[in-house]
């Protein structure tokens, strides 16, 4: 083995001043939000399939669901949503300022954090993750259950990690959170 054994990891983080004067006013619909770059290599197709199936089973879910995406979104992601007849549930916001992205984040019911589908993803932690944590909103992380992001989510109890092929798991979670949303009990995570 080469390299040193005296190594410390310095994680990314967030700047508390970025959140100054941003008041929380939760979305009135059951919003699932992703901000930033969403490439084809982390397209959460299983999420969109789960949403489609739940919409077919639950009219209230269909009426209240809003998939909100802001930033640079790959056309394959948009196509995945539209191919599942979720166009009425899609809000493609486009590019927004950093402040607007943070406002959207704080006010969303649930936050989407799909990790790249890659063999070396386990040790990668996106910078956006720390802002998501700071927002206090529950996070749905798509990726390996043993990734560093999954471990942090488990340690902080700030959401859930779903593997990219776990349709049953994501449906259960969405239904559970939708029930809480209807009861107005999706609380901020601490």
């Amino acid at each position: 083995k080469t390299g040193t054994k005296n190594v410390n990891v310095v994680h990314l983080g967030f700047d508390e001043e970025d959140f100054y004067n941003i008041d929380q006013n939760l979305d009135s619909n059951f919003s699932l939000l992703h901000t930033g770059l969403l490439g084809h290599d982390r397209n959460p197709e299983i999420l969109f399939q789960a949403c489609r199936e739940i919409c077919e089973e639950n009219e209230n879910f269909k009426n209240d669901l809003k998939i909100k995406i802001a930033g640079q979104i790959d056309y394959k992601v948009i196509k995945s949503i539209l191919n599942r007849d979720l166009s009425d549930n899609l809000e493609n916001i486009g590019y927004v300022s950093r402040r607007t992205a943070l406002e959207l984040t704080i006010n969303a019911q649930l936050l989407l954090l799909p990790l790249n589908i890659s063999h070396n993803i386990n040790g990668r932690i996106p910078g956006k993750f720390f802002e998501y944590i700071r927002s206090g909103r529950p996070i749905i992380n798509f990726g390996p259950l043993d990734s560093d992001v999954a471990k942090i989510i488990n340690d902080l109890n700030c959401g859930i990690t779903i593997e990219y092929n776990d349709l049953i798991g994501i449906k259960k979670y969405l239904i559970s959170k939708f029930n809480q949303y209807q009861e107005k009990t999706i609380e901020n995570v601490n």
Side-chain angles (χ1 to χ4, degrees):
K1 293 184 176 181
T2 61
T4 183
K5 293 180 179 160
N6 185 16
V7 175
N8 292 310
V9 175
V10 177
H11 292 288
L12 296 171
F14 63 88
D15 187 344
E16 186 62 38
E17 288 184 16
D18 291 344
F19 292 84
Y20 183 72
N21 279 340
I22 298 179
D23 296 322
Q24 187 175 60
N25 184 18
L26 289 178
D27 293 340
S28 61
N29 49 29
F30 185 60
S31 57
L32 313 179
L33 173 75
H34 182 276
T35 60
L37 176 65
L38 184 53
H40 67 88
D41 60 342
R42 51 192 164 132
N43 184 358
E45 291 185 75
I46 201 77
L47 169 70
F48 307 136
Q49 180 61 37
C51 288
R52 172 76 259 142
E53 290 182 16
I54 300 169
C55 283
E56 290 171 355
E57 299 162 3
N58 185 326
E59 190 71 23
N60 290 332
F61 185 90
K62 180 179 179 179
N63 293 334
D64 289 343
L65 174 66
K66 190 60 70 178
I67 300 168
K68 297 172 75 168
I69 49 179
Q72 183 178 341
I73 313 302
D74 190 278
Y75 77 95
K76 289 181 181 176
V77 175
I78 302 292
K79 189 175 176 184
S80 293
I81 296 168
L82 299 179
N83 284 347
R84 288 171 177 84
D85 296 323
L86 295 169
S87 59
D88 291 342
N89 305 98
L90 174 62
E91 186 176 338
N92 188 355
I93 300 165
Y95 290 97
V96 296
S97 69
R98 176 161 170 65
R99 181 163 182 86
T100 300
L102 293 175
E103 289 170 351
L104 290 167
T105 300
I106 282 183
N107 293 315
Q109 297 292 339
L110 302 175
L111 301 172
L112 304 176
L113 186 70
L115 301 179
N116 297 56
I117 301 170
S118 168
H119 69 280
N120 65 346
I121 195 61
N122 281 4
R124 296 168 80 189
I125 304 172
K128 170 185 13 218
F129 178 48
F130 296 96
E131 291 175 350
Y132 275 14
I133 291 170
R134 165 54 182 86
S135 77
R137 303 309 299 150
I139 300 166
I140 303 174
N141 170 45
F142 290 93
L145 300 178
D146 61 347
S147 69
D148 286 350
V149 170
K151 290 174 189 169
I152 294 169
I153 285 174
N154 288 339
D155 289 348
L156 297 179
N157 194 28
C158 62
I160 190 170
T161 297
I162 299 285
E163 291 184 318
Y164 271 100
N165 62 354
D166 186 0
L167 179 62
I168 294 170
I170 188 59
K171 279 183 73 174
K172 281 183 180 178
Y173 187 76
L174 288 175
I175 291 167
S176 168
K177 287 298 181 186
F178 182 69
N179 290 337
Q180 290 177 12
Y181 156 80
Q182 289 184 303
E183 298 166 1
K184 299 188 182 333
T185 60
I186 298 181
E187 296 182 4
N188 282 354
V189 291
N190 217 351

